[in-house]
Amino acid sequence: MRLVPAPREVRPGPAGGPFVLGPETRVAADAASAPAARWLGSVLGAATGLPLPPAAAGGDGVVDLRVTERLAPRGPEAYELVVDASGALIEGGGPAGVFWGAQTLRQLLGPAAFRRAPLDDGPWAAPPVRIADAPRFAWRGMLLDVARHFMPKDGVLRYIDLLAAHKLNVLHLHLTDDQGWRIEIVRYPRLTEVGAWRPRSTVGLGDTAGWDERPHGGYYTRDDLREIVAYAAARHVTVVPEIDVPGHSQAAIAAYPELGNTDVVDTSALTPWDRWGVNRNVLNVSDATLEFYENVLTEVLEIFPSEYVHIGGDECPKDQWRASAAAQRRIEELGLTDEDELQSWFVRHFDRWLAERGRRLVGWDEILDGGLAPGAVVASWQGYSGGVTAARAGHDVVMCPEQHTYLDWRQAEGPDEPVPIAHVRTPEDVYRFEPVPESLTEAEAAHVIGVQANVWTETTDSARAVDYLVFPRLAAFAEVAWRPLPPPAERDFADFERRLDAAHYARLDALGVEYRPPSGPRPWQRHPGVPGRPREGRPPAR
């Protein structure tokens, strides 16, 4: 089978030949599976030109989708798919399982099943097969940084479809940063009037980077985001919003200067940052700032039903707090030891606030500094150590160590890679990523609730550039996230590569994805002369 990600169990199907879709083929579903049936009929109807009308269950020529209690013990995302000459049966432990089974059936029908209009009259045939499948991790995510370079709504919807096609189920939207604020907040209109637009952008990284003098910006209205959330939910993808505090906040401070450390710096002169890196302008720690972000998050919760809300918490320089008399008074009033504990106090405030509203706070592993908030989930990006510490303390963890899952890192040596960053990370490197360290006990490992690939966009100003960095590495990541694999050194990357070559590149072609070819970048994918980030810093983890 040429499936990506590969299922847990594949066996030959009943004898009698493939199931061939034709003008008489119908789609049946129980009530819980009706959304998956509508989706399947829509995409296959567009690709094949067949009507695929709804029908009652049973009989020949039927694609039958249903939720069954029999699979519930394996989890709501488990499914079984049986294909024979008479039809296809997809059963799931829940509606999500049925949907993932429908995605597998689409792959079995060939790359042309991923197009939006029929290229010919077929035949559209799925081979006889029995598949039993279920995911390894509940959180299988990708971060999309729309703050550094804005991606219009249609591009986000497209990426939701790409995630779902790879059985990934979390889209982490990085909505705010120093360089831009991308979410409409009705109570604070200047966040988008001012914070969503910067006058120019740095091109490349480092001291020799140049400038793109065009203004850059954009934001999503509340209705845009509701549409994104609903579109994702129909594909069993959860959208997790990130509102970054207390660092990475210059765009917000530019819009509302009183949020900054005004006793240290003249915040009235700030604009959204036109550079990349770690910014010294951070939020102050006043009650007014806490209230401001409570009001922001109130509107965020109205839009995003996700159990998880990400508040960043990373790369917060403490220089301004050290120099700020107001911050030092706050440390003294609260009986804190230092600025690290001050940041922990800030994060704990929002941990409590979110918990009171039935949500869970997620933060980058810097939220460990000064003491971890009681209910926090740690996204471990600086290697494994933060995740290990959190899991041993009984906290849930999403593993996303930069050395394995940062898809902005370079994909090869040589001068042709556009804006080369850090160390080389090939699809094989990603395929050999193991999210759960051997040092964790079984009970501690159970706190690793998921894995995530992060797509930072300082150097990607278009969907084409994002595609180049993401694929095919995201396909390798998806298999790591979905399927239990042998230890890294024993993994059969050659088999994965054969599946890419035999079918999956053709699926990506049909979807219009401008991936990096295995032979290297195409001429228009190169970006000569633009400096990247050298290899100094953290060495690759092994």
Side-chain angles (χ1 to χ4, degrees):
M1 290 291 161
R2 302 167 180 174
L3 302 174
V4 175
R8 289 190 181 217
E9 182 182 331
V10 179
R11 291 181 293 152
F19 170 43
V20 180
L21 277 67
E24 304 304 317
T25 302
R26 294 159 294 152
V27 179
D30 59 12
S33 305
R38 286 193 295 271
W39 172 86
L40 185 64
S42 173
V43 296
L44 292 187
T48 66
L50 298 173
L52 302 176
D60 290 345
V62 173
V63 180
D64 196 353
L65 293 78
R66 56 192 56 259
V67 172
T68 175
E69 291 185 6
R70 178 177 62 84
L71 294 179
R74 302 185 208 171
E77 294 187 282
Y79 73 90
E80 290 185 358
L81 168 61
V82 179
V83 179
D84 61 24
S86 67
L89 172 64
I90 301 171
E91 295 180 303
V98 173
F99 180 75
W100 302 132
Q103 288 281 9
T104 299
L105 177 62
R106 188 188 190 190
Q107 288 198 19
L108 289 173
L109 289 168
F114 288 79
R115 295 193 177 271
R116 297 184 184 181
L119 302 184
D120 52 44
D121 295 332
W124 301 94
V129 69
R130 296 178 184 272
I131 293 174
D133 207 3
R136 179 184 182 188
F137 293 105
W139 180 309
R140 306 180 303 280
M142 188 189 89
L143 175 144
L144 183 59
D145 172 16
V146 296
R148 271 53 175 270
H149 277 103
F150 179 67
M151 180 176 284
K153 180 193 70 177
D154 283 354
V156 177
L157 299 178
R158 172 176 174 265
Y159 258 87
I160 290 169
D161 279 326
L162 290 173
L163 295 185
H166 291 81
K167 297 186 175 69
L168 299 173
N169 67 346
V170 174
L171 174 63
H172 172 177
L173 272 185
H174 184 73
L175 288 163
T176 73
D177 215 295
D178 298 304
Q179 297 85 2
W181 184 284
R182 307 298 179 207
I183 173 174
E184 177 189 27
I185 301 296
V186 173
R187 183 163 184 157
Y188 301 118
R190 286 178 59 83
L191 286 171
T192 46
E193 291 171 358
V194 174
W197 311 93
R198 61 176 180 264
R200 63 178 186 172
S201 304
T202 308
V203 177
L205 302 169
D207 295 338
T208 60
W211 295 100
D212 180 347
E213 297 292 348
R214 296 175 300 171
H216 178 83
Y219 67 92
Y220 309 106
T221 67
R222 290 164 61 91
D223 283 347
D224 289 337
L225 290 167
R226 289 191 182 100
E227 180 184 356
I228 287 169
V229 167
Y231 190 87
R235 290 148 180 80
H236 297 278
V237 174
T238 298
V239 183
V240 174
E242 180 180 353
I243 306 296
D244 213 335
V245 295
H248 288 291
S249 297
Q250 182 161 316
I253 297 169
Y256 292 92
E258 65 272 20
L259 296 173
N261 293 282
T262 56
D263 58 345
V264 176
V265 63
D266 178 12
T267 57
S268 65
L270 295 178
T271 63
W273 208 25
D274 56 13
R275 299 175 181 271
W276 319 122
V278 179
N279 191 316
R280 63 187 297 271
N281 291 304
V282 303
L283 298 175
N284 68 46
V285 291
S286 67
D287 289 338
T289 294
L290 296 178
E291 182 181 1
F292 182 98
Y293 275 90
E294 288 175 0
N295 293 333
V296 167
L297 288 171
T298 295
E299 295 195 30
V300 169
L301 299 191
E302 291 171 356
I303 298 167
F304 295 93
S306 165
E307 175 186 358
Y308 301 97
V309 176
H310 206 299
I311 57 86
D314 62 313
E315 296 180 330
C316 178
K318 309 298 193 297
D319 297 347
Q320 290 186 355
W321 289 353
R322 293 187 185 98
S324 167
Q328 293 303 310
R329 283 196 301 272
R330 178 68 98 175
I331 290 173
E332 185 176 355
E333 290 166 3
L334 296 170
L336 304 176
T337 301
D338 56 18
E339 291 75 18
D340 282 343
E341 287 195 2
L342 182 62
Q343 179 173 342
S344 176
W345 166 82
F346 192 103
V347 171
R348 284 169 182 263
H349 175 88
F350 289 103
D351 180 67
R352 290 192 300 271
W353 189 91
L354 288 167
E356 289 167 0
R357 288 153 182 82
R359 308 297 183 96
R360 296 186 69 187
L361 179 147
V362 186
W364 303 112
D365 51 42
E366 287 95 329
I367 66 173
L368 288 158
D369 299 341
L372 189 56
V377 177
V378 172
S380 187
W381 74 274
Q382 298 181 102
Y384 290 98
S385 60
V388 168
T389 299
R392 287 176 174 165
H395 286 261
D396 287 342
V397 174
V398 176
M399 282 292 189
C400 50
E402 62 175 339
Q403 300 92 341
H404 296 281
T405 69
Y406 271 35
L407 300 187
D408 54 328
W409 283 31
R410 72 181 77 198
Q411 299 184 69
E413 298 286 3
D416 289 339
E417 290 302 309
V419 199
I421 296 175
H423 300 270
V424 170
R425 279 297 169 265
T426 65
E428 182 173 1
D429 293 323
V430 175
Y431 193 74
R432 298 193 188 282
F433 164 50
E434 173 48 49
V436 181
E438 291 181 355
S439 60
L440 294 179
T441 66
E442 184 177 352
E444 292 165 349
H447 284 290
V448 181
I449 62 172
V451 292
Q452 183 168 286
N454 295 336
V455 184
W456 302 104
T457 62
E458 290 94 334
T459 65
T460 53
D461 60 357
S462 70
R464 300 178 81 180
V466 173
D467 280 2
Y468 177 86
L469 290 179
V470 169
F471 290 101
R473 292 187 292 184
L474 191 70
F477 173 83
E479 190 146 318
V480 171
W482 178 266
R483 183 187 181 201
L485 294 171
E490 300 173 18
R491 293 179 187 175
D492 190 353
F493 179 73
D495 172 70
F496 176 77
E497 206 167 29
R498 280 191 293 271
R499 284 180 277 133
L500 288 181
D501 291 337
H504 204 66
Y505 284 128
R507 294 182 193 121
L508 297 178
D509 288 332
L511 289 165
V513 176
E514 294 202 32
Y515 55 87
R516 182 189 188 277
S519 58
R522 298 179 175 96
W524 58 88
Q525 293 174 319
R526 300 168 189 162
H527 211 160
V530 178
R533 178 160 63 86
R535 294 174 180 77
E536 287 92 8
R538 298 177 187 87
R542 294 293 185 189

